[in-house]
Amino acid sequence: RPVRPQEERQAWRDIGALFLTEVPDSEISARGRTVRPQVVSQTAALAREVKEDGLAKTPRDRFLTVGMRTDMKAKVFECRMDRFELPDAVLGRVAAVPVTRGLRMAESAADALGNALLRLHPGTERENPSWSDVRAAMGGVIRLAQRQFWSNLEPEFRVRLFDSRLAGDEQAQATWLSEWAQVAREVVVRALEGVLAASDDTADGLRRQETTRHTLYVQLKKGGVE
């Protein structure tokens, strides 16, 4: 099945489905196993042969992805084009697991941000809060904060794909993942603080801000982003 563009979802977040080789069963996400397009495997194999024969020295491969977001009929909502430069290590088997885990950490951080921001709403302090109403009221704020998070995280992720430790042993990959978790944590905390800086600064508002921070840290720890 093709990777279908989704509203508010940047293409780099689907690097796993677009470019990674098949990952072990233990790393399969809730959405199931993904298999990259055959043309990517063919391109990677051809580029490897060309480099081994000394015909090219570039340590990276360039790709262009093109997609349309539609209603699955005739209406087109969005056309998009994204460029990727990826090192050989990411296209090979060795880096598939740490990159997959790194992307999953980022998704966990974004979810944690959304859950935490719900606590800013006064309705959450009621005895029996209406969570559906709270989510509806905070939807715009959460989308904006998550968009900021993903936008700031993208260049950090792209740069770290060229870290040689991705193609190293388990210890080297674990160190890469640990450092990546810290980056994701710092970026998501900045996104949260950006919202809090513009929120209610009354006594009640400040109390909800602290509750929001605490919720974020708890959620990040639960998701392994620490």
Side-chain angles (χ1 to χ4, degrees), residues 54-121:
L55 301 177
K57 297 181 180 179
T58 176
R60 63 191 67 188
D61 296 296
R62 295 180 174 88
F63 296 91
L64 177 71
T65 62
V66 181
M68 291 190 300
R69 186 167 60 83
T70 73
D71 63 351
M72 303 299 290
K73 296 178 182 178
K75 185 178 294 185
V76 177
F77 299 114
E78 177 186 18
C79 294
R80 63 177 305 149
M81 185 179 297
D82 297 271
R83 289 176 170 81
F84 296 91
E85 287 192 3
L86 302 172
D88 293 339
V90 171
L91 297 178
R93 291 185 176 277
V94 179
V97 171
V99 173
T100 300
R101 290 177 178 172
L103 289 169
R104 193 171 302 166
M105 282 182 180
E107 295 287 351
S108 295
D111 290 342
L113 177 61
N115 291 333
L117 285 173
L118 293 176
R119 297 293 176 173
L120 273 182
H121 195 280

Side-chain angles (χ1 to χ4, degrees), residues 98 101 165-179:
R101 290 177 178 172
R165 290 175 297 181
L166 279 175
D169 56 24
E170 289 186 7
Q171 183 176 354
Q173 292 179 347
T175 303
W176 183 91
L177 273 173
S178 178
E179 292 178 4

Side-chain angles (χ1 to χ4, degrees), residues 12-195:
W12 71 271
R13 294 166 58 185
D14 288 313
I15 277 181
L18 291 170
F19 299 111
L20 296 185
T21 57
E22 186 173 298
V23 298
D25 292 343
S26 59
E27 296 303 319
I28 297 176
S29 68
R31 291 188 296 176
R33 182 184 292 281
T34 60
V35 179
R36 69 183 181 184
Q38 185 62 30
V39 67
V40 176
S41 297
Q42 293 170 343
T43 300
L46 178 60
R48 188 165 54 251
E49 290 180 10
V50 167
K51 291 167 187 174
E52 288 175 353
D53 290 339
L55 301 177
K57 297 181 180 179
T58 176
R60 63 191 67 188
D61 296 296
R62 295 180 174 88
F63 296 91
L64 177 71
T65 62
V66 181
M68 291 190 300
R69 186 167 60 83
T70 73
D71 63 351
M72 303 299 290
K73 296 178 182 178
K75 185 178 294 185
V76 177
F77 299 114
E78 177 186 18
C79 294
R80 63 177 305 149
M81 185 179 297
D82 297 271
R83 289 176 170 81
F84 296 91
E85 287 192 3
L86 302 172
D88 293 339
V90 171
L91 297 178
R93 291 185 176 277
V94 179
V97 171
V99 173
T100 300
R101 290 177 178 172
L103 289 169
R104 193 171 302 166
M105 282 182 180
E107 295 287 351
S108 295
D111 290 342
L113 177 61
N115 291 333
L117 285 173
L118 293 176
R119 297 293 176 173
L120 273 182
H121 195 280
T124 59
E125 296 183 317
R126 297 171 184 165
E127 185 175 349
N128 294 303
S130 173
W131 289 104
S132 59
D133 291 342
V134 170
R135 289 188 180 90
M138 296 298 294
V141 174
I142 291 173
R143 284 191 296 273
L144 184 61
Q146 289 179 331
R147 188 184 307 149
Q148 188 67 47
F149 165 72
W150 287 116
S151 177
N152 291 340
L153 194 65
E154 179 177 3
E156 300 283 355
F157 183 75
R158 285 182 181 258
V159 167
R160 281 165 176 76
L161 287 178
F162 288 88
D163 192 316
S164 60
R165 290 175 297 181
L166 279 175
D169 56 24
E170 289 186 7
Q171 183 176 354
Q173 292 179 347
T175 303
W176 183 91
L177 273 173
S178 178
E179 292 178 4
W180 169 248
Q182 285 298 315
V183 171
R185 181 185 177 88
E186 291 171 4
V187 173
V188 79
V189 168
R190 287 203 304 270
L192 178 75
E193 292 299 333
V195 176

